[in-house]
Amino acid sequence: MKKSKSMLCLLLSLLMIFSLCSVVSAEEVEANQWEATQKVVVRGKLSANNAGEEVTLMLFKNGEDSVSQSSIGYIGQQTIAEDGSYAFSFKFQGDASQYTARLNMNGKNVDKSITSATVESEIISATVSAKYNFSTVDIAVEMENYFGLADKPYVIIAAAYSEAGVLISTESVQSGVIANGVSSEDAQINIPENAAKVKIFVWSDFARALPYGDLATVSVAGNEPAAVHFIGDSRGMTHAEEDSFPVQGWSYFLDEIFNSNITVYDHSAEGATAASFISSEKWDAVKAELAEGDYVVVALGYEDATSDTPVIEMETALETLQSDAEAKGAEVIFTTPVPTAGTADENSNLTVYSEAIQSVAEKTHAVCVDVNGLVKKQFSNPELGYQPYDLYYISPAAKTHYTQFKGLSAKAEALLSAGDTAILNERGAKLVADKFAQGLASCTTSLTGYLVDFTDAKAKPVRYREIPQLSYTDSKGSKIKAVLFYGMPYHGSESEVFAYVGVPAGASETNPVPSMVLVHGAAGHAYKDWVELWCSKGYAAISFYWREPSSSYDHKLADGVTPVDYYAGPRRSDISTSVLTGDKADHFMVHATSDISLAYNLINSLPEVKKGETGITGISWGGIISSRGIGEDTRFKFAMPVYGCGNLTLSTGSIHPDSIYDGKYTFANTVKAGMPVFWINGSNDTFFSLHATSQCSYETLSQLCIKNNNGSHSQQHGSGSTGDIPELFAYADYMLKDGTALPTVSKITMNGRAASFSYESPISITSVKLWYNTTGIVYGNGIGKPGTTAWTSVNITQTADGNITYTVPDDAVGIYFEVKDANGLCRTTDYIELKK
């Protein structure tokens, strides 16, 4: 729906004044009612001879000696009916009894024709669903009985307040025109940091900007410091890397699933059964540490099952644990034991103990997360492509993977030799922690308020491993590391992404440098020479590999030979709407744009990098991905898509999927964030039309550079030959290093055949040119063939004020203007096509 900017500004300012709010429930909000403005009905009758005339009603405040804006409560007109009757029916804010009705027709007072004037209040009912959901609030609103509000504008506003009740921010959720009530489904707002409550308002009657009540107040969970005390056995406990790599327990990853207000304490003990733990000194120590508002996550039961502990013994111990924790004001979260990669009988026995744990939780009114069931479901996922033992346990396949980083510990080698099917590797431990978070999110407990949004790549903590044999220092002293960083879930399991990360010589924590995220194109890969190139310009850089359709590109890495073993995300596919099937979390573009955010997180985690001083550039398909990514992650200082862009349906080249993942659908976010975008294309590019690139520049309020290159698409999708485009580095220097600005060029306006535009530059301009064709864009014969459009250039005389009007030749069809500065760098207008 379209939003009225002036209306929204007025409403947001008035929101600071009105205090009409009443707190409803914290998370689930029930139906709410409030009294709206008064309903006033004035009826009367004149002669039928006056039918069709206009009669004017004014409510004039009692006791006022003169007519003024403050003395008039209402003015309205109605047409007299055929029988001479008329009726006014309207809303009125205030006490209508304090006003006198005055009626006028053709300049004459006709008050005596009023036969009745009634005042009543209208009750407006509202049903609201508002639920805290990680860092957002999900809102659904349905309202009925809007007397007199048909076709009137409304806006739903969310206001965030601090614990002290101070207004932090306001956000428009949705606006539009009321039909038969308001219905706002699946609206969502972001919660600012330090917000304690979010209040949802509906405003209407633009003329008066009246609030129509406080629909809901949602308490924001997870803002108070709290502790999670983890109690488990060897499969849950955190293992020290120096003597256990890659063995790991799932408590190690709890820090990643909870926000920074949670502190995790691991009290696990190897071989612990429920009874042995509560009778140990460890449980006495935990009880001494417990404070009101803390949480106890219990991950016991595996050792009970494998040692055939009587079920009743385990149940009694867990009930004691629950009672002890409750007495200290702590909440217990039970979990069922993680399945093994062993025999069906082993896991069948675990199921018996899992059911017993769930029974204890039900009996004690505690929360229980069925980790056993969630992980078994993952193990049976037919799309996983791996056996669970190979992927999640200490297996020969896991050894191949983890020895890329470092040698296995003696503990891991011993488990491997013994054929252990129960102890998890790092990947398996992370899977269990993720499934625990997934299950916890659907539980009724305040601990859910501390979960980070595991669907948002921006919120995902940085974690990666270096591959030493592929890392090196280049000839200019830049340190280039090959890494696998951990990505978003694919078929339910955390994916891994290969990348090169480079830091230039001389960069340090005390001398940090800006950074770039580099997104390669089709038939490309993670380019080390691209990283080296940006490092040579004084930038840290990261180039990651999004997977090509063919596996032949998967391992063209450092030396083109050395394979890299990792659990990768989806391969590139056509992103047209017709092929977007299955779980959205498994779509290629979801992973590709998430990888952009994860690359941002990684590069900004390095001590040698200036935090937040990061740009992004993408080539060809990398430009498509970047165009979408910058609308989903607006943290970048700027973006430079080359060739690839959004608005792909406008392209007369061969890449034109109609997709919900086209960047054009997120450009509004880019504009709202004020992110500059520098669009670059070639005049005869093989695949991407100037029509699409120009439209992207319009929609992002950004600058454009059309390189007259006779059909080149030669930047090799991300290799070092991006040096062919000096404007890329000059613009990055301007944005991140206080370099000289490129010329700024306006869009073209036409008056007949006269084309007008303007330009500005901090340094002298050496040339202004018109480039035109007489055919429109002409593409080559076949996919990937260079365009054959013939271009003609005309030198144009500069003007002192930078305003140019030029009559284009009669045979010109497609035109754009180029402005070049003394450094040889150019910017252009948009490309437009004219009628002959």
Side-chain angles (χ1 to χ4, degrees):
M1 297 184 182
K2 293 184 179 178
K3 299 179 181 178
S4 167
K5 188 174 182 181
S6 58
M7 173 186 178
L8 183 57
C9 292
L10 175 60
L11 297 182
L12 294 181
S13 63
L14 287 174
L15 181 59
M16 307 291 288
I17 301 172
F18 282 98
S19 180
L20 305 176
C21 309
S22 60
V23 174
V24 192
S25 63
E27 290 191 1
E28 297 297 330
V29 186
E30 299 178 353
N32 186 24
Q33 292 188 327
W34 65 89
E35 186 173 280
T37 52
Q38 291 178 314
K39 174 182 177 181
V40 178
V41 180
V42 177
R43 300 181 185 277
K45 191 165 186 179
L46 292 161
S47 169
N49 294 332
N50 299 123
E53 298 283 349
E54 298 290 335
V55 62
T56 302
L57 174 69
M58 179 178 74
L59 295 190
F60 186 71
K61 196 169 187 178
N62 298 339
E64 294 285 345
D65 296 328
S66 60
V67 176
S68 65
Q69 183 177 358
S70 62
S71 68
I72 299 173
Y74 172 81
I75 297 177
Q77 280 190 327
Q78 289 290 337
T79 301
I80 300 171
E82 291 183 358
D83 64 352
S85 64
Y86 58 85
F88 292 83
S89 183
F90 54 91
K91 301 190 321 308
F92 185 79
Q93 179 73 14
D95 185 358
S97 66
Q98 301 298 313
Y99 290 78
T100 299
R102 295 181 180 178
L103 203 69
N104 184 282
M105 183 184 70
N106 296 329
K108 295 181 180 180
N109 183 283
V110 289
D111 292 351
K112 293 181 180 181
S113 68
I114 298 175
T115 58
S116 66
T118 60
V119 178
E120 60 186 68
S121 293
E122 179 76 7
I123 299 299
I124 303 176
S125 64
T127 303
V128 183
S129 173
K131 188 175 182 181
Y132 177 78
N133 181 16
F134 300 116
S135 58
T136 62
V137 171
D138 296 331
I139 303 165
V141 178
E142 291 185 2
M143 307 186 71
E144 298 176 349
N145 304 328
Y146 266 96
F147 170 78
L149 290 182
D151 301 323
K152 295 292 181 66
Y154 76 91
V155 63
I156 298 173
I157 293 176
Y161 294 84
S162 69
E163 191 67 45
V166 176
L167 180 64
I168 298 173
S169 67
T170 55
E171 181 177 346
S172 169
V173 179
Q174 187 174 19
S175 63
V177 174
I178 295 167
N180 296 319
V182 175
S183 179
S184 171
E185 297 180 357
D186 300 326
Q188 190 178 75
I189 62 149
N190 296 316
I191 301 173
E193 291 185 9
N194 303 320
K197 286 179 171 41
V198 177
K199 298 183 178 183
I200 314 300
F201 297 83
V202 169
W203 296 68
S204 190
D205 191 351
F206 176 48
R208 296 178 184 276
L210 303 178
Y212 276 80
D214 178 11
L215 298 181
T217 297
V218 180
S219 294
V220 177
N223 278 341
E224 292 297 319
V228 166
H229 296 270
F230 185 88
I231 297 169
D233 51 36
S234 57
R235 302 197 309 155
M237 71 186 301
T238 295
H239 297 266
E241 180 169 318
E242 55 269 23
D243 59 17
S244 299
F245 178 81
V247 173
Q248 197 50 270
W250 62 275
S251 65
Y252 177 81
F253 292 103
L254 292 184
D255 282 334
E256 290 194 15
I257 69 171
F258 292 120
N259 68 29
S260 59
N261 288 314
I262 284 287
T263 302
V264 178
Y265 300 95
D266 178 25
H267 305 284
S268 300
E270 288 200 44
T273 65
S276 69
F277 190 90
I278 67 164
S279 62
S280 69
E281 293 181 356
K282 276 209 166 192
W283 179 232
D284 291 335
V286 174
K287 287 190 291 183
E289 293 179 22
L290 284 180
E292 186 171 354
D294 283 354
Y295 304 90
V296 180
V297 174
V298 181
L300 297 169
Y302 171 75
E303 297 292 349
D304 292 271
T306 55
S307 61
D308 290 325
T309 300
V311 170
I312 187 64
E313 180 181 321
M314 181 192 72
E315 290 177 330
T316 301
L318 293 178
E319 288 175 18
T320 301
L321 188 153
Q322 157 70 11
S323 177
D324 289 349
E326 188 175 35
K328 298 297 294 275
E331 181 182 1
V332 171
I333 312 292
F334 288 112
T335 67
T336 55
V338 179
T340 73
T343 66
D345 287 344
E346 287 178 4
N347 282 302
S348 178
N349 199 33
L350 280 175
T351 300
V352 172
Y353 284 79
S354 295
E355 291 171 350
I357 292 169
Q358 290 172 306
S359 296
V360 170
E362 184 176 359
K363 179 180 179 180
T364 60
H365 306 290
V367 168
C368 183
V369 177
D370 185 15
V371 169
N372 182 274
L374 291 167
V375 174
K376 280 199 294 190
K377 183 178 179 180
Q378 174 64 22
F379 284 1
S380 63
N381 185 347
E383 296 180 310
L384 188 61
Y386 291 83
Q387 291 298 317
Y389 176 62
D390 292 335
L391 205 57
Y392 303 123
Y393 295 88
I394 306 301
S395 63
K399 180 174 183 177
T400 298
H401 174 72
Y402 286 105
T403 51
Q404 296 175 117
F405 314 127
K406 58 193 297 186
L408 265 59
S409 64
K411 179 188 291 186
E413 290 285 9
L415 289 168
L416 183 62
S417 297
D420 184 89
T421 59
I423 302 299
L424 301 165
N425 61 36
E426 287 182 349
R427 190 188 278 150
K430 182 58 167 57
L431 171 76
V432 176
D434 286 345
K435 296 306 177 185
F436 169 72
Q438 178 186 330
L440 184 66
S442 62
C443 294
T444 303
T445 167
S446 57
L447 185 56
T448 61
Y450 292 92
L451 288 170
V452 297
D453 186 352
F454 43 73
T455 66
D456 182 6
K458 298 185 292 297
K460 185 177 176 65
V462 175
R463 187 162 37 87
Y464 65 93
R465 289 275 185 188
E466 181 184 354
I467 305 176
Q469 65 173 326
L470 301 183
S471 301
Y472 62 99
T473 299
D474 74 6
S475 60
K476 296 183 179 179
S478 300
K479 296 179 180 179
I480 313 296
K481 291 183 179 180
V483 304
L484 286 179
F485 67 79
Y486 295 90
M488 304 305 289
Y490 181 51
H491 297 321
S493 191
E494 184 179 60
S495 64
E496 296 153 357
V497 184
F498 179 83
Y500 287 107
V501 182
V503 175
S508 66
E509 190 169 0
T510 57
N511 183 38
V513 295
S515 58
M516 291 294 299
V517 172
L518 315 175
V519 190
H520 70 81
H525 50 88
Y527 286 95
K528 61 176 182 177
D529 51 350
W530 202 9
V531 172
E532 287 181 18
L533 176 63
W534 279 94
C535 285
S536 73
K537 305 290 185 179
Y539 294 84
I542 179 170
S543 171
F544 64 88
Y545 173 55
W546 51 259
R547 297 176 80 205
E548 280 288 2
S550 170
S551 61
S552 63
Y553 294 101
D554 285 357
H555 303 310
K556 292 171 63 176
L557 303 176
D559 53 18
V561 176
T562 305
V564 175
D565 182 87
Y566 63 111
Y567 180 70
R571 296 190 183 279
R572 176 170 65 85
S573 62
D574 181 14
I575 59 171
S576 62
T577 302
S578 62
V579 300
L580 299 180
T581 59
D583 189 343
K584 178 181 176 181
D586 293 335
H587 289 178
F588 163 74
M589 187 59 83
V590 171
H591 276 257
T593 54
S594 295
D595 290 347
I596 285 173
S597 296
L598 297 170
Y600 179 100
N601 294 350
L602 194 161
I603 200 76
N604 277 277
S605 73
L606 303 179
E608 302 93 340
V609 169
K610 289 183 178 179
K611 302 302 178 279
E613 296 296 303
T614 304
I616 182 172
T617 185
I619 306 290
S620 191
W621 253 98
I624 296 177
I625 295 168
S626 299
S627 297
R628 176 73 187 191
I630 59 175
E632 295 182 350
D633 190 339
T634 58
R635 295 176 296 173
F636 291 95
K637 288 295 185 181
F638 64 96
M640 299 184 294
V642 181
Y643 308 133
C645 57
N647 286 290
L648 297 174
T649 54
L650 297 179
S651 180
T652 53
S654 56
I655 296 181
H656 49 82
D658 178 14
S659 172
I660 58 172
Y661 293 131
D662 191 306
K664 65 182 178 182
Y665 295 116
T666 62
F667 285 161
N669 299 334
T670 308
V671 173
K672 182 179 179 181
M675 184 195 301
V677 186
F678 184 19
W679 300 94
I680 301 171
N681 201 355
S683 59
N684 282 20
D685 183 69
T686 307
F687 296 105
F688 298 95
S689 169
L690 298 183
H691 304 87
T693 310
S694 294
Q695 184 64 28
C696 289
S697 73
Y698 302 147
E699 293 180 3
T700 56
L701 310 179
S702 295
Q703 291 287 297
L704 180 65
C705 178
I706 300 171
K707 303 290 285 186
N708 199 274
N709 60 357
N710 297 320
S712 173
H713 191 79
S714 65
Q715 267 54 56
Q716 296 181 29
H717 302 66
S719 75
S721 65
T722 46
D724 294 352
I725 308 177
E727 286 83 359
L728 284 168
F729 306 105
Y731 186 67
D733 286 350
Y734 167 65
M735 293 298 299
L736 298 177
K737 292 185 175 183
D738 296 322
T740 303
L742 276 69
T744 301
V745 184
S746 74
K747 303 300 185 274
I748 299 171
T749 59
M750 297 298 301
N751 183 7
R753 300 293 292 182
S756 298
F757 71 98
S758 61
Y759 62 87
E760 294 180 354
S761 176
I763 63 175
S764 61
I765 296 299
T766 58
S767 72
V768 178
K769 289 184 178 181
L770 165 69
W771 287 93
Y772 74 93
N773 62 58
T774 60
T775 59
I777 298 293
V778 178
Y779 276 81
N781 182 22
I783 293 177
K785 298 296 183 180
T788 59
T789 311
W791 293 91
T792 301
S793 64
V794 179
N795 290 316
I796 297 174
T797 303
Q798 300 180 43
T799 59
D801 61 3
N803 294 315
I804 299 286
T805 297
Y806 185 82
T807 300
V808 301
D810 291 340
D811 60 347
V813 173
I815 66 169
Y816 69 90
F817 292 89
E818 175 194 273
V819 177
K820 184 174 291 188
D821 67 16
N823 290 328
L825 304 174
C826 73
R827 280 270 181 72
T828 66
T829 65
D830 48 330
Y831 170 80
I832 64 173
E833 290 187 353
L834 312 172
K835 293 181 180 179
K836 288 189 178 181

